Amino acid sequence: MPSILKSRVALATLIGVFLIPIMTSSLRGLTHVLTCEGQVETPFSVVIESGYDPMVLSAQQLVAGEDDSICGGINVDFRARAGDGNRIALTLAVINETADPWRGTIDLELGRVRVPISIGLVAAGTEETETVVLNLDEGESEIAGSLLIGP
């Protein structure tokens, strides 16, 4: 084997070794650098029975004087509304009460399935919302989520 071919094979192998971690990693649907992650404390249960409108159930505990913000000043508000058939509309609001702009992604958990919902840039002192329509199976489904933010 000529020496020039050996050096090219060695170079290709070296580049391949460095690309293995990149190709096997998962960004979990993120389009930004992750600097903070927090669990959203508003889980929903949705009950769907044939012939009836979906029932959306939620419970949130509020404690006076307790700060429920995530990552030092980010608040998340989930709102769910029953739709037609097996559909519900889920509105996700991210409120930035800090002095810095942030990019946000909500990592929805529908049973064992995770769905990333990009909120995009949330400027300082503003609120950004995103509405998604979910088509759920009959029975009871629980919806929870995490906020993933970064610069």
Side-chain angles (χ1 to χ4, degrees):
M1 183 183 281
S3 64
I4 189 76
L5 185 58
K6 286 181 184 179
S7 65
R8 287 186 181 170
V9 169
L11 181 61
T13 303
L14 183 64
I15 290 172
V17 167
F18 285 116
L19 290 178
I20 289 172
I22 294 171
M23 296 178 76
T24 60
S25 68
S26 170
L27 297 177
R28 297 187 299 177
L30 292 178
T31 58
H32 55 82
V33 175
L34 181 63
T35 59
C36 183
E37 180 177 354
Q39 187 69 24
V40 178
E41 297 295 329
T42 311
F44 287 97
S45 289
V46 179
V47 179
I48 297 176
E49 292 182 21
S50 182
Y52 296 98
D53 289 334
M55 291 183 290
V56 180
L57 310 169
S58 177
Q60 183 176 11
Q61 180 179 0
L62 300 174
V63 178
E66 186 176 287
D67 183 23
D68 61 347
S69 66
I70 301 169
C71 304
I74 307 292
N75 290 303
V76 178
D77 186 20
F78 275 14
R79 297 175 215 134
R81 186 182 74 232
D84 298 333
N86 292 1
R87 294 178 162 211
I88 66 161
L90 188 62
T91 301
L92 313 165
V94 176
I95 303 120
N96 183 357
E97 297 176 346
T98 68
D100 301 313
W102 294 99
R103 292 195 182 279
T105 300
I106 301 284
D107 190 21
L108 281 183
E109 300 169 21
L110 304 165
R112 290 187 281 161
V113 178
R114 298 181 90 108
V115 181
I117 308 295
S118 177
I119 301 297
L121 182 67
V122 184
T126 64
E127 174 182 330
E128 292 293 328
T129 61
E130 184 69 35
T131 300
V132 294
V133 177
L134 304 173
N135 192 11
L136 301 175
D137 294 331
E138 285 192 18
E140 184 175 346
S141 301
E142 185 171 324
I143 302 170
S146 300
L147 173 65
L148 310 170
I149 64 171

